[in-house]
Amino acid sequence: MNPFKRTLITSALPYANGPVHIGHLAGVYVPADIYARYLRLKGEEVLFIGGSDEHGVPITLKAKKEGTTPQAIVDKYHGMIKDSFQRFGISFDVYSRTSAPVHHETASEFFKVLYDKGEFIEQTSEQFFDQEANQFLADRYITGTCPKCGFEKAYGDQCESCGTSLNATDLINPKSMLSGNVPVMKETKHWYLPLDRYEPWLKEWILEGHKEWKPNVYGQCKSWIDGGLNPRAVTRDLEWGVPVPVEGAEGKVLYVWFDAPIGYISATKELTPDWKKYWKDPETRMLHFIGKDNIVFHCIIFPAMLKAEGSFILPDNVPANEFLNLEGDKISTSRNWAVWLHEYLEEFPGKEDVLKYTLTANAPETKDNDFTWKDFQARNNSELVAILGNFVNRVLVLTNKYYDGVVPAAGALEARDEETLAALLQLRAETEKALDTFHFHEALKSAMEMARLGNKYLADMEPWKVIKSDPERVKSILHICLQITANLSIVFEPFLPYTMEKLRGFLNFGKMGWNELGRRDLLAAGHRVNAPELLFEKIEDEAIQKQVDKLLATKKANELAQATVAPAKPHIEYDDFAKMDIRTGTIIAAEKVAKTKKLLKLTIRTGIDERTVVSGIAESYEPEQVIGQRVSILVNLAPKNLKGIESQGMILMAEDKDGRLIFVAPSGEIGDGAEIR
RNA sequence: GGCGAGGUAGCUCAGUUGGUUAGAGCGCAUGAUUCAUAAUCAUGAGGUCGCGGGAUCAUGCCCCGCCCUCGCUACCA
């Protein structure tokens, strides 16, 4: 039915500047792992690839901040990530890293092939350069005063005080973070991948050829393609990364987005010399499991790279998930708002599968979703413990009690028995259908139906009553219950691998393939099962409260950190201040600037004149609200053209931590044009 | 502002090419039951399917406008 002989599953490479959290797991690794285990169980040829993404500017910055080397940073987090994945039971066939020699070779070679084929454009532009350190500076390497809030240590790409995103050229008094010197502008040459060349092809391949992709994925792609594609730089001026393998490119490395997806290829190479089978044979089906932030790279850019190279296969599907929130707020590494996998593994030992279950049941498949500890507890207690664990326990307790742990032979089956056994095959079909279409939430639900089926059968048959009147009949009932239990050990294998291993131990039963699922004779009469233990244990309120408290503490710490007032700027002379001509004024007209979110066009009576000022306050005020508002206005600021309107001056606003803006205005009776000093 | 994805019971989600009383799980209520980790099983309450128009014999599903959430993007003197 499908023309493919094998499947290559890739999962987004986690960035090695921090540990992995439940957001990564729910969006990428848990679904990818379930799918990989499912295919393996079906006996298909599968390769499941993972690895750490270890290049890029943030890692070099972190290294600098901690006074160590980028390699030390990535060694630390790669080790941590790899270890927690392994303990958690993400069944990678290989977990590699982009700092590995094999990756440097592979990425380098890939670049070289495109370079030799003339697939790049060369372009020269001006960028900041540190003369003392003798290198170009990425935006993150420039620090200076934020033009908006005056925070002195703003980075070239973003001000961490007010959150504004910036260009390095916006900064007042830019300084190099390497030497502290003032950087100069200097020309630099880079290579670009002309994505525009692939537009017609992408249109056909995705928009025509892959209408089955998830709506979120397809929509994003369409948006990008319809919006027109531009050439994208594939190199950067940086020391940390894969060196650009052409002459005259000293001090340049491959840009991370070019480098990282090639990591999938390198990882495959690291695993097997037979890697080409997975990457170059059209009978291989490639799947990229990613989060929604990665859609454009995996659907547009990486395929364009592969296409440009010419000898690689393309992804057949890209099942991207949305984002997972935590207790109502966005997960954030820098704000420590996350449930970290390595901490979970320590605090909930032996409960790896519980987290997998919760994250699958709550997977952000079609929209962002919320993880709460309360929900985690409920899923564990009322589904895993009460439905699945309890059924298994009931069956095994009864078997031990009545038959000393030996599987009884079934007698003549009644209609209800037949129905129940037939339902196993039905549930298998439902689970399969959901898994085949990447509906993991639904798949898990139909697997759980099997345990419900057992509970209901048991409740209706009431063997504990029948045993008194018709002991022969009870043999049939428990025989069937045991077959259901054995089937459970198969159907849950992709989702709850550790637990199913445990269950097979209880049943004294070997691991069976997916194809055996639905059979009514998995356990032979006379087979001896073991004494039951508990499959899952209840999670008490205290354990949950502890986690909630931990998050509350984080929240408090964040608020405190936010409450810290930006430090004072260095002294200036009175003359510096005196240069500023600040006056009282009144807003006499206001309207929204078309096609902007934040801008209002204000007409201000300054006493001197009436003038136009464009101000970024539209998120705090409606135009009608501000008419008549008294203001303080800097009148001798050089005019600046904004969105086609000449802005003559600047309104003084006070801004709180939430970005709310308040007018700084005269507090008593005073006319327009009064000098403020 | 532009583009994309969402907005369905208290919570988490399904709803096929528009077709009779809109579904599931959890939670809640009531009942049954005791083999089982007070677990299970049954029944029930609970929804102007974001809002307003329109096309249709008929729409949660189609068209138009608006509102809200998330992502990408532009703007913040």
Side-chain angles (χ1 to χ4, degrees):
Chain A
M1 122 190 192
N2 79 51
F4 298 109
K5 275 191 177 161
R6 66 189 75 81
T7 306
L8 174 65
I9 298 173
T10 75
S11 55
L13 307 185
Y15 197 56
N17 73 336
V20 287
H21 54 62
I22 53 169
H24 298 121
L25 296 174
V28 179
Y29 305 103
V30 169
D33 184 61
I34 291 169
Y35 198 71
R37 286 177 188 271
Y38 166 61
L39 293 186
R40 287 192 200 108
L41 207 56
K42 280 173 74 165
E44 294 190 15
E45 191 181 347
V46 187
L47 215 52
F48 180 19
I49 300 293
S52 303
D53 175 9
E54 305 185 310
H55 294 140
V57 177
I59 282 172
T60 61
L61 278 184
K62 194 171 182 109
K64 205 149 211 84
K65 208 164 154 187
E66 296 182 10
T68 179
T69 62
Q71 189 65 50
I73 295 285
V74 301
D75 283 350
K76 173 180 163 189
Y77 288 113
H78 170 74
M80 198 164 170
I81 294 168
K82 186 175 179 179
D83 175 65
S84 50
F85 273 148
Q86 196 266 324
R87 284 198 287 155
F88 187 51
I90 299 296
S91 62
F92 295 118
D93 290 296
V94 54
Y95 189 82
S96 187
R97 56 194 305 190
T98 61
S99 66
V102 61
H103 176 68
H104 278 240
E105 284 160 30
T106 308
S108 191
E109 204 176 294
F110 198 103
F111 180 90
K112 203 72 203 300
V113 171
L114 297 199
Y115 180 83
D116 291 341
K117 284 179 79 177
E119 296 287 345
F120 293 133
I121 326 176
E122 287 180 23
Q123 218 164 296
T124 305
S125 62
E126 289 214 316
Q127 289 195 4
F128 278 116
F129 184 80
D130 184 320
Q131 286 172 307
E132 190 181 314
N134 195 33
Q135 64 169 272
F136 282 95
L137 300 165
D139 285 352
R140 291 286 293 186
Y141 270 124
I142 319 253
T143 174
T145 304
C146 173
K148 188 182 181 194
C149 70
F151 182 61
E152 269 200 302
K153 290 181 179 167
Y155 291 114
D157 57 349
Q158 190 179 32
C159 171
E160 293 200 341
S161 176
C162 65
T164 308
S165 55
L166 303 166
N167 291 317
T169 44
D170 295 338
L171 292 175
I172 302 162
N173 301 323
K175 272 185 194 157
S176 164
M177 285 176 64
L178 299 179
S179 62
N181 292 340
V182 178
V184 298
M185 295 300 282
K186 192 175 163 180
E187 287 202 331
T188 177
K189 183 165 79 174
H190 283 289
W191 288 269
Y192 292 73
L193 182 67
L195 287 174
D196 42 316
R197 279 190 209 164
Y198 301 93
E199 226 176 274
W201 168 71
L202 283 166
K203 238 174 210 162
E204 194 184 323
W205 177 59
I206 300 177
L207 301 185
E208 296 302 319
H210 282 297
K211 299 196 172 180
E212 82 283 7
W213 287 5
K214 288 175 64 174
N216 57 342
V217 177
Y218 187 88
Q220 273 277 339
C221 292
K222 186 163 162 42
S223 169
W224 272 77
I225 295 169
D226 290 350
L229 300 168
N230 298 313
R232 264 183 103 100
V234 303
T235 56
R236 294 246 104 178
D237 290 299
L238 194 70
E239 290 295 329
W240 179 243
V242 178
V244 176
V246 296
E247 269 186 52
E250 289 73 33
K252 295 180 197 295
V253 296
L254 302 183
Y255 202 0
V256 266
W257 64 257
F258 186 86
D259 158 6
I262 295 175
Y264 299 142
I265 305 172
S266 323
T268 317
K269 269 189 182 172
E270 184 182 305
L271 179 72
T272 167
D274 208 12
W275 65 274
K276 283 184 183 162
K277 180 171 82 171
Y278 292 96
W279 282 94
K280 305 206 171 188
D281 182 348
E283 292 192 311
T284 296
R285 179 186 192 214
M286 177 157 68
L287 303 171
H288 295 311
F289 281 82
I290 56 169
K292 69 172 162 183
D293 52 333
N294 255 326
I295 290 173
V296 62
F297 294 110
H298 287 80
C299 297
I300 309 252
I301 299 175
F302 189 45
M305 287 163 58
L306 294 170
K307 177 81 176 165
E309 202 277 350
S311 70
F312 285 90
I313 57 165
L314 300 167
D316 181 59
N317 207 330
V318 184
N321 273 331
E322 301 284 304
F323 286 160
L324 187 70
N325 293 326
L326 170 60
E327 301 282 358
D329 280 327
K330 271 178 225 183
I331 292 180
S332 157
T333 299
S334 59
R335 281 173 36 242
N336 191 29
W337 191 254
V339 176
W340 303 104
L341 180 56
H342 65 286
E343 290 184 1
Y344 176 87
L345 292 169
E346 292 302 321
E347 290 166 33
F348 292 94
K351 294 197 185 345
E352 296 83 7
D353 285 353
V354 176
L355 185 59
K356 279 189 179 177
Y357 182 86
T358 310
L359 295 179
T360 305
N362 233 345
E365 284 177 359
T366 56
K367 62 178 177 193
D368 289 0
N369 219 334
D370 198 29
F371 176 95
T372 63
W373 281 109
K374 196 167 158 265
D375 184 69
F376 170 82
Q377 181 189 27
R379 296 271 183 199
N380 179 77
N381 292 355
S382 60
E383 296 182 26
L384 290 176
V385 172
I387 311 282
L388 177 56
N390 185 37
F391 173 66
V392 168
N393 189 244
R394 298 168 83 183
V395 172
L396 291 176
V397 164
L398 287 171
T399 305
N400 276 286
K401 196 164 176 178
Y402 298 155
Y403 309 114
D404 206 19
V406 175
V407 178
L413 296 187
E414 297 179 359
R416 176 59 191 276
D417 304 339
E418 292 288 355
E419 279 166 28
T420 303
L421 290 166
L424 294 176
L425 277 170
Q426 179 61 34
L427 289 172
R428 167 182 168 170
E430 282 171 25
T431 311
E432 263 175 19
K433 191 182 165 200
L435 284 171
D436 288 338
T437 50
F438 310 114
H439 292 105
F440 300 103
H441 177 193
E442 202 182 318
L444 184 61
K445 220 167 138 182
S446 40
M448 198 49 105
E449 279 303 313
M450 201 176 277
R452 289 180 201 279
L453 176 78
N455 274 322
K456 181 159 172 51
Y457 178 75
L458 208 46
D460 291 349
M461 294 302 107
E462 301 180 303
W464 47 90
K465 278 187 183 166
V466 179
I467 193 80
K468 292 166 195 157
S469 54
D470 184 1
E472 274 306 302
R473 171 65 190 147
V474 173
K475 288 184 181 169
S476 294
I477 296 170
L478 275 176
H479 183 87
I480 288 168
C481 286
L482 282 159
Q483 301 304 343
I484 295 174
T485 310
N487 274 288
L488 284 173
S489 81
I490 302 173
V491 79
F492 273 107
E493 175 65 21
F495 306 94
L496 309 171
Y498 289 130
T499 309
M500 290 307 111
E501 198 181 346
K502 207 160 140 189
L503 176 55
R504 288 195 300 271
F506 297 172
L507 289 174
N508 189 18
F509 181 59
K511 188 169 171 179
M512 303 295 262
W514 187 265
N515 292 332
E516 315 304 321
L517 181 56
R519 274 175 52 180
R520 47 177 69 187
D521 58 349
L522 288 171
L523 294 173
H527 175 86
R528 178 173 288 276
V529 300
N530 293 316
E533 294 166 49
L534 295 179
L535 217 44
F536 300 98
E537 56 185 24
K538 285 192 81 165
I539 294 174
E540 301 299 335
D541 291 348
E542 294 74 51
I544 293 305
Q545 194 55 45
K546 207 175 136 192
Q547 294 300 323
V548 171
D549 288 345
K550 194 169 155 185
L551 286 172
L552 286 175
T554 297
K555 197 155 239 176
K556 207 160 194 178
N558 284 337
E559 271 166 21
L560 274 173
Q562 273 219 338
T564 53
V565 176
K569 299 175 197 177
H571 287 151
I572 58 170
E573 297 306 319
Y574 175 76
D575 286 351
D576 292 327
F577 172 71
K579 285 178 191 164
M580 293 193 282
D581 190 347
I582 305 173
R583 305 294 183 103
T584 55
T586 306
I587 298 174
I588 55 176
E591 59 179 281
K592 275 202 147 171
V593 178
K595 298 187 178 184
T596 67
K597 196 188 281 183
K598 297 190 179 174
L599 300 185
L600 286 190
K601 177 185 169 187
L602 306 174
T603 305
I604 313 286
R605 193 170 58 218
T606 65
I608 306 165
D609 53 16
E610 283 179 9
R611 57 172 73 194
T612 300
V613 171
V614 176
S615 186
I617 60 173
E619 285 184 317
S620 301
Y621 295 96
E622 295 299 320
E624 315 80 72
Q625 263 182 288
V626 302
I627 293 174
Q629 171 70 46
R630 301 301 311 277
V631 297
S632 304
I633 173 172
L634 179 61
V635 293
N636 64 337
L637 185 65
K640 161 98 178 181
N641 196 304
L642 285 168
K643 283 275 160 188
I645 302 164
E646 186 173 58
S647 179
Q648 304 159 311
M650 176 172 165
I651 304 289
L652 270 49
M653 307 292 294
E655 184 177 2
D656 72 6
K657 285 147 280 172
D658 307 326
R660 204 165 50 102
L661 297 169
I662 300 294
F663 286 99
V664 176
S667 60
E669 287 286 325
I670 192 161
D672 292 331
E675 291 185 59
I676 297 176
R677 53 194 178 200

